[in-house]
Amino acid sequence: MATTGPWALAAVLAMTCVLMPARAGQVSGIVQSGGTSVTVPLADVDLTLLEATTGQPIVLSQATSGASGEFVLSSPRDTSSSIFFITADVASGVRLVTILGPRLRPDVTVNELTTVAASYSMAQFYRTGVISGNAFGLRIAAGMCDNIVSSATGESSPVLLGSPNADQTNSLRSTRSLANLLAGCLQDPLVLAGLLDLTTPPGGAAPQHTAQALANLARDPGLNVTPIYLLTQLSDLYQPALFEMPDAWTVTVKVNDSGDDAILFGGPANIVFDDHGYAWVANNVVQGTTQSAHSIMVLKPNGQPADGTNGSPVSPITGGGLLGVGLGIDIDKQGAVWVGNFGWGGDNPTATGNGSVSQFRPSGAPVSGRQAYQGGPVRVQGTIADADGNIWLASYGNDSVFVFLGGDPDAAVSVQQYPGSQTFDIAIAPDGTAWATNGGGLAGGHPSSVARFALVGGVLQQLSLDFVGKALKTVAVDSLGNAWVASQGDDTIYVYRPDGQLIGGFGGGGIDGPWGVTVDGDDNIWVSNFGPLELGSNFTTGRLTKLCGANPAMRPPGTRMGDPLSPPTGYTVHSAGRQVLLHDGEPLYGPAGPPSFAPMMRQTNVDIDQAGNLWAVNNWKPDFDVDILLNPGGDGIVIFVGLATPPARRR
């Protein structure tokens, strides 16, 4: 994406700062075991202040802790284009870590809980025993680390301590249980040996120390869940901890702040990340109603609402003809944001039923007018920009695929599909061809199919059509050109070769009404699950699925393409005893409604940021019977910290 306006000025100022003499900095802190009810200072511990790079980190300063665990570390500079962090080697194989981020912090704590936050947030950059990677991704990871722990106190962060986290999910307690596991490693060499053994990847080398061990667990949280849970119970320095074993050792941060409680999240449906790491979120309904929303949300890389800093957007965004945005949102090569308006609850994008598409500048300012772009697509779902700046649109309402040539709504070409096909999503292959799903309706009342298209000389040509599955939803294409298709109605992910030939269908790993599909940087497949589309289906918890991709070099030993890598339950998020609340403090189903204890709900899509955080979208609430008639809009986004390999940046 091109950098324009105030953001360009900010980039120039940042470069100028690099050329100016660096200011020296100093960090004072304490290294200790424990951080909630009991703390024990750790004396004679070797500490190192480091700056992360794409290779070995740069050692800036070293010190040894005093009798009360105190230390002082100095640095020739107090800011970094990457991140600073501190390691504390307590004993052989026992390493504690605190992430400081791009600026030195004057007062810090190093303990087990800061290490849990560091290992999970940096999991995709902590594969070789040291933190290493690109500065952009590392800075995003550091921001997510701050969502888990306060580096100053070594205690849980305000984000995890408050709604919609706290005991509305089990992640606050999970981080404390994992901190107890590290405390056990300090106390007993047998616990350390057990952790290092239990977090050794299949066919891989054992981790060098505790911080790397937890990073391994963050990337493969279904590994040895039971014995690891038993080890967490050998120490109780961090309380309250988990009171029952989790399905997997994931750590999540849930976000639901739109930036304005008068415009709450309601049916968020899809996410696209811009080149600054901001998440643009499609938003479908007015919370608690079946009426179309007139807004979309923009979140910072840490999940907080965008606030206009340095010319960035201010969330929520309105105007431009927005109306009930479903799946349709993407960013073109110039940074413009394109949004397909689906309309909801009897609302068509216009009174005549004509479709509409909205366009925004990177700042969030609308380009399209109050009625958006009219005349062509109807009830748009999938929206994708190709490398040439063409905008592809899945026109659900009139069974068609449209392309705005060069991003010009007045230069549109289209291909009509069969009646009732209700085109749902589009993905662009590496060779520039496009794959589209024809869902046959949300519940699959008509035949479903997969089509391929090519844009040749401004003419849209259909290359193939294959009838498959039921109620097809999204499609994603891997780096090899294979197309992965979510078939919601028969709990299957179908895969096609680049030439359009069907390879087969796959399930397992928690697949239950699959809707969203995305491909990670290892070409493995992540699936978000909506659950069944039928009366009487109350989704007790959402589930996230991981499948082996087509690249054999990236698969665990002994696995094949399509094999599940997630547990049979999928990756889930349970309540720790508190009901789900909206950002304004109201219960999910309102003050008079039944309480909900499902923080992760019916999912429509999933995407991965450049730090490997996986953003799963709560599109619908859990109770289908209530939602289909009265209250469909889900409540926000569940971010799985450090879980997935970052994909290549698109623009």
Side-chain angles (χ1 to χ4, degrees), residues 430-650:
D431 64 1
T433 59
W435 293 81
T437 57
N438 295 310
L442 291 179
H446 299 280
S448 291
S449 61
V450 174
R452 291 176 63 234
F453 298 89
L455 192 59
V456 181
V459 177
L460 187 59
Q461 301 176 355
Q462 183 161 336
L463 304 178
S464 65
L465 181 71
D466 186 51
F467 289 89
V468 69
K470 181 180 180 181
L472 300 186
K473 296 300 187 288
T474 64
V475 55
V477 181
D478 64 26
S479 69
L480 304 176
N482 302 298
W484 299 74
V485 177
S487 182
Q488 199 273 339
D490 61 5
D491 297 331
T492 303
I493 303 297
Y494 291 99
V495 188
Y496 285 83
R497 293 189 180 93
D499 62 2
Q501 295 298 308
L502 178 65
I503 295 174
F506 304 101
I511 284 181
D512 184 6
W515 195 295
V517 183
T518 196
V519 183
D520 69 19
D522 289 338
D523 267 335
N524 291 317
I525 308 303
W526 295 88
V527 182
S528 54
N529 294 280
F530 189 89
L533 286 168
E534 59 189 34
L535 294 176
S537 60
N538 192 342
F539 218 40
T540 56
T541 183
R543 53 185 67 186
L544 175 68
T545 300
K546 183 180 182 182
L547 302 178
C548 284
N551 187 345
M554 296 294 106
R555 299 196 296 255
T559 60
R560 300 173 298 177
M561 179 179 180
D563 283 353
L565 295 175
S566 48
T569 59
Y571 293 128
T572 62
V573 183
H574 292 274
S575 167
R578 297 289 184 181
Q579 69 167 311
V580 175
L581 301 178
L582 300 172
H583 189 263
D584 63 0
E586 290 289 328
L588 184 67
Y589 284 107
S596 172
F597 298 91
M600 185 176 177
M601 306 168 195
R602 296 179 182 270
Q603 307 277 305
T604 51
N605 218 349
V606 63
D607 208 344
I608 304 165
D609 68 23
Q610 289 300 301
N613 304 305
L614 190 146
W615 299 50
V617 181
N618 274 353
N619 180 252
W620 271 43
K621 299 184 178 75
D623 192 326
F624 191 84
D625 294 9
V626 174
D627 299 342
I628 191 66
L629 297 174
L630 302 172
N631 196 3
D635 72 333
I637 298 167
V638 178
I639 304 173
F640 287 80
V641 179
L643 182 58
T645 305
R649 296 176 73 176
R650 280 183 51 198

Side-chain angles (χ1 to χ4, degrees), residues 407-432:
D408 182 357
D410 294 325
V413 294
S414 65
V415 170
Q416 182 79 32
Q417 300 294 276
Y418 54 89
S421 58
Q422 296 183 318
T423 309
F424 196 85
D425 194 26
I426 300 175
I428 306 298
D431 64 1

Side-chain angles (χ1 to χ4, degrees), residues 31 44-45 65 142 221 273 318 329 351 363 441 460 469 540 555 575 584 589:
V31 57
D44 299 320
V45 172
S65 62
F273 294 103
T318 58
I329 190 164
S363 65
L460 187 59
T540 56
R555 299 196 296 255
S575 167
D584 63 0
Y589 284 107

